[in-house]
Amino acid sequence: MLHSEPASAGFLTNTKTAYGNLETRFEGDFWSYNNSDTRLRLRHAYGELNNVLAGQTWSNYNSFVGFTPTLDFYGPAGSMGYGTRVPQLRYTVGNLSIAGEDPRSQLASNLDEARPSDDDRISSLPALSVRYEENSEPFSYSIAGIARQLKYDTGPSDDTAMGYAGFLAGAYKVGLLTLRGIVHATEGANSYLYDSGSSFNGADAFVTDSGELETLSGVGGGSVGASYQITPKYAPDSVKPAPTLPLSPPASIF
């Protein structure tokens, strides 16, 4: 069945000002998260002036260098960083970019309703990300890191912890063949390990019996893939995703 949900539409502007060129981008689609409630979804809405970007666009903790194209609308698990768009303030100089972003976090589910869970999570500080990316042939690479606060507050109890994540992505082109790969390491920041949970992100932490936040790790998650350019338009791809979360919350929290 054909439908318009994945299709996007928008516009770009470029305006000369006394301070330089002001570029803006607005874009949306009707992707409805696989349910019947079709609605307009805002993808990009930002302005950029003199290397400063403000608004919503791809997370600075993201890269398509190690991403292998597929027919799957979601793409391979573990094939990029955060993998979606967030409100942010970003500064770019050369290949280096630094950003303060709307933070993403998730606490592990808890069947004991008396204990804190994701409903008690709060955010009070932006996530801080840094990325360096070099795009050139035959070898391209991207390295990035992000840090953000984890926090919950039920009134009687609260706690705070820090979460960190990093990835290294690369692509190497040999004639018509392109090899791609990415590897991640996370500590209390599995929200930034693409498609590592039941709804894109895995849990970052859980609350112990004593009310302390215990962070969860994800090491070695990523993907490897290859593309072969048969014609200018067609290139068969093969990819192996591996978004593993070696450390899971103990069974006692469920």
Side-chain angles (χ1 to χ4, degrees):
M1 180 179 67
L2 296 177
H3 55 78
S4 62
E5 287 186 10
S8 58
F11 62 90
L12 305 172
T13 69
N14 191 315
T15 307
K16 291 184 178 180
T17 74
Y19 304 98
N21 286 345
L22 171 62
E23 298 180 0
T24 65
R25 179 180 181 182
F26 297 90
E27 181 184 308
D29 64 15
F30 293 93
W31 188 51
S32 57
Y33 298 91
N34 291 330
N35 61 43
S36 58
D37 183 22
T38 302
R39 60 196 181 278
L40 178 64
R41 179 182 66 146
L42 183 66
R43 288 168 52 89
H44 300 278
Y46 66 85
E48 186 171 8
L49 178 67
N50 290 335
N51 300 326
V52 177
L53 181 150
Q56 177 169 301
T57 189
W58 292 109
S59 168
N60 190 50
Y61 186 75
N62 189 53
S63 176
F64 294 101
V65 167
F67 179 81
T68 302
T70 68
L71 293 175
D72 184 356
F73 181 72
Y74 300 103
S79 59
M80 54 190 101
Y82 182 54
T84 192
R85 296 152 293 273
V86 294
Q88 61 191 274
L89 180 65
R90 182 194 303 180
Y91 178 70
T92 302
V93 52
N95 297 329
L96 179 68
S97 54
I98 302 170
E101 307 184 10
D102 185 30
R104 295 295 189 262
S105 60
Q106 181 175 319
L107 299 183
S109 299
N110 195 333
L111 296 182
D112 182 357
E113 295 183 358
R115 297 183 59 178
S117 63
D118 197 54
D119 291 337
D120 303 302
R121 169 180 50 85
I122 59 176
S123 298
S124 57
L125 293 174
L128 298 178
S129 64
V130 58
R131 182 185 67 193
Y132 186 89
E133 185 162 308
E134 176 71 41
N135 286 289
S136 59
E137 292 186 357
F139 180 63
S140 300
Y141 66 92
S142 180
I143 183 170
I146 195 166
R148 61 103 173 82
Q149 183 189 59
L150 290 166
K151 189 175 183 180
Y152 85 91
D153 190 346
T154 63
S157 64
D158 63 86
D159 195 25
T160 302
M162 289 299 296
Y164 308 92
F167 71 75
L168 175 63
Y172 187 72
K173 186 174 183 180
V174 186
L176 301 177
L177 177 67
T178 302
L179 304 175
R180 301 180 179 89
I182 184 170
V183 62
H184 304 263
T186 66
E187 179 61 50
N190 296 320
S191 291
Y192 293 92
L193 180 53
Y194 181 68
D195 206 10
S196 60
S198 59
S199 182
F200 290 104
N201 20 7
D204 302 306
F206 65 94
V207 182
T208 66
D209 291 332
S210 60
E212 296 180 349
L213 276 173
E214 185 75 22
T215 58
L216 300 172
S217 304
V219 181
S223 69
V224 292
S227 302
Y228 191 83
Q229 198 73 43
I230 298 178
T231 72
K233 291 185 177 181
Y234 300 103
D237 304 296
S238 178
V239 61
K240 171 60 177 176
T244 55
L245 299 181
L247 180 59
S248 299
S252 60
I253 75 167
F254 294 106

